[in-house]
Amino acid sequence: AGGLYGSVNPSGSYVFAFPTNTESERDLVMKFVDTIPDGSWVWAFTVLQDSMQDYHPELWAADSINLGRNIFSVLEAQGAEQVRQLENLGSVPYTFVFRKGMGKLAEDIAPDQQSTIYTEVFIPVKSSSGTIATRPIGPASAWQQLSWLGINADSTDADTLDVYGLDATKTDTTLLFGDVGTPVLDLSGVDADQYPYLLLRYKLDDPDERTAADLDYWQVTYAPLPEMALDASVYFEFYRDTIQQGDTLRVAAMVENISPRDFDSVLVSLRITDRYNGVTTQTWRQGPLAAGARDTVRFSLPTSGLTAGPNQLVVEVNPNDDQPELFHGNNFGLKDFYVRADDQNPVLDVFFDGVRILDGDLVSATPEIRIELDDENTFFLLDDTALIKLSIVDPSGVERRYYFDNPAVVFEPAQDTMNMAKVTLRPTLPEDGVYALRVDVQDKAGNAPRLRYKIHFKVVHEQMISRVVPYPNPFSTRVRFAYTLTGSEAPDVFKIQIMTLSGQVVREITQDEIGPLRIGRHLTDYAWDGRDEYGDLLANGVYLYRLIVKDGDGRAIKHYKTSADPYFAKSFGKLVIMR
């Protein structure tokens, strides 16, 4: 059986379905719209049971020829704006919500038959009771007073207030005052630490007329929380975006109290996250921050403990709400930076009595061994004795470690201006023979030379001296003299006589001219220029020379044999001048 107004649904329903296949069926749709009382809420929508059906919107416009109007124009008269698109889109989902004679509330159309549309409209209804609630009020440092006024529509209306307390998370709600009927309520007894927020709910009841009372006003007074902000736009200082490992990271930013209430102090947190999500934290507390005042947050942090590579720094004031404040989102500062790794080895240099020796060289029985360790990174100072290990292996193969509490070892730590540590080792070497010095070093970043330092040296306690060998020979402008000296001290008399082949002494070079003598193999700093005792240049040719050397008692010092001995005859050597 058909429904009301020519619809196909059973009588008595609030939903009226009409087919639109023929002109007469579409005429019933338009006549039904005419019968709807003005002000009524109407929801018009299309329905198809399957994709094979069609409600023929392409035919609607032609109804104006015989009927003087069509479904498009009737719905457009109520405010529809998209309905005429159906003429091209075909039988797709379509909804139109309106109040008769008062305009459109919502309208949606699908692009194709398989799409889904959602239409949502708020429709007020008259109820016998209802509520109006505030958003959370606060946060507060102290609650003061509630005042409110409701205006009754008639004598049957009833209205009261409920007051709820909310915790800091706004999730735990507790009824503090129920059915408040007085226009003023003292809130000073509410603990703001426990309930930093309040929520008001206005309750209305009118079972007879269903006419709501009107709320004239409601007001809550309270002392607000203080509020601080980290404002990098006012002042921000960052040492370097790329910083050498070991250098000190320095950051400064401005924190401002933007509220009328004071902070008794300011807790500051520094958090650095490396590329592997490792976290380094530092916290400290600054002094009070008065209302409207500004202060500078400054900190420094050595990067020696940070991971090389990209890092991210976060500065946070008042972390974890150390002191309750209004808003926390403006308490952060973020900065990315890069830590450049220290991956260069330190440089090691070793001197025996002031000179670098070759492996196997002869040295004094009481040498002064100086070790210098130099590193390019001036932020990782070489100031720790643990960075250097020393040992000497004696001729019998026994290795002795020299620790820094030994009086024979003196450690000089690196200074700020130059990252060089120095160690002076004065060992006592009682035996003749070949020793070995071993030195293991590293810098504070753990870098070490690729090869372990080890050098052999020879000790002879008896005082002896080798033949003196001129270098170069022949020479043209200058010649120096090489010798090897054993023992622990220099001879008292040391001089070189230059003679003609007939034995005439033409030049005598004394120890005062030659300068200090050294134990071991040595090439004199002094260079003879080929002039005689009177300062005249000697002629080209072959000359003889000999060494005269004696101890403090005037006794000749023993000869130390070397590979140069075959070139001497009865302690005389030959020297050639070629200009």
Side-chain angles (χ1 to χ4, degrees), residues 254-274:
M254 182 68 69
V255 60
E256 182 177 5
N257 186 343
I258 57 177
S259 69
R261 298 183 63 82
D262 298 342
F263 282 95
D264 59 16
S265 62
V266 178
L267 185 67
V268 183
S269 169
L270 165 70
R271 185 172 68 256
I272 296 177
T273 305
D274 64 24

Side-chain angles (χ1 to χ4, degrees), residues 41-52:
W41 298 73
V42 183
W43 182 16
F45 57 93
T46 62
V47 176
L48 292 176
Q49 291 184 349
D50 56 58
S51 60
M52 302 300 294

Side-chain angles (χ1 to χ4, degrees), residues 11 13 76 93 107 132 204 281 288 343 361 399 441 465 508 534 578:
S11 178
S13 172
E76 287 172 343
E107 184 180 19
I132 302 174
L204 308 101
T281 59
D343 54 8
D361 270 358
E399 183 171 3
V441 297
I465 191 165
E508 190 171 84
Y534 304 103
M578 296 179 61

Side-chain angles (χ1 to χ4, degrees), residues 34-172:
D34 294 339
T35 62
I36 298 173
D38 287 345
S40 299
W41 298 73
V42 183
W43 182 16
F45 57 93
T46 62
V47 176
L48 292 176
Q49 291 184 349
D50 56 58
S51 60
M52 302 300 294
Q53 289 190 330
D54 193 341
Y55 56 82
H56 304 290
E58 71 278 0
L59 304 176
W60 295 359
D63 292 342
S64 298
I65 299 174
N66 296 324
L67 302 178
R69 59 180 183 169
N70 58 57
I71 293 177
F72 293 142
S73 61
V74 169
L75 295 182
E76 287 172 343
Q78 299 300 323
E81 298 174 344
Q82 304 178 47
V83 65
R84 202 172 287 270
Q85 297 178 27
L86 295 174
E87 191 170 15
N88 296 320
L89 293 175
S91 300
V92 300
Y94 171 76
T95 62
F96 175 43
V97 184
F98 62 96
R99 290 192 71 180
K100 178 68 180 297
M102 300 176 66
K104 180 180 76 171
L105 297 174
E107 184 180 19
D108 290 290
I109 189 169
D112 53 62
Q113 200 174 75
Q114 287 72 39
S115 298
T116 302
I117 56 176
Y118 298 90
T119 303
E120 184 177 309
V121 174
F122 175 74
I123 301 176
V125 296
K126 288 187 176 182
S127 177
S128 61
S129 62
T131 60
I132 302 174
T134 65
R135 295 179 177 179
I137 302 169
S141 60
W143 296 106
Q144 296 170 346
Q145 180 178 280
L146 161 68
S147 58
W148 69 286
L149 179 62
I151 301 175
N152 294 339
D154 54 53
S155 58
T156 63
D157 290 348
D159 59 342
T160 57
L161 275 179
D162 287 342
V163 180
Y164 294 86
L166 281 71
D167 64 3
T169 65
K170 305 180 189 177
T171 57
D172 186 11

Side-chain angles (χ1 to χ4, degrees), residues 359-388:
D359 194 63
D361 270 358
L362 184 71
V363 303
S364 166
T366 56
E368 180 182 271
I369 304 173
R370 189 164 182 83
I371 296 117
E372 296 181 352
L373 185 62
D374 190 7
D375 192 46
E376 90 293 342
N377 189 346
T378 58
F379 306 112
F380 277 154
L381 288 181
L382 303 172
D383 54 6
D384 189 350
T385 57
L387 302 174
I388 303 174

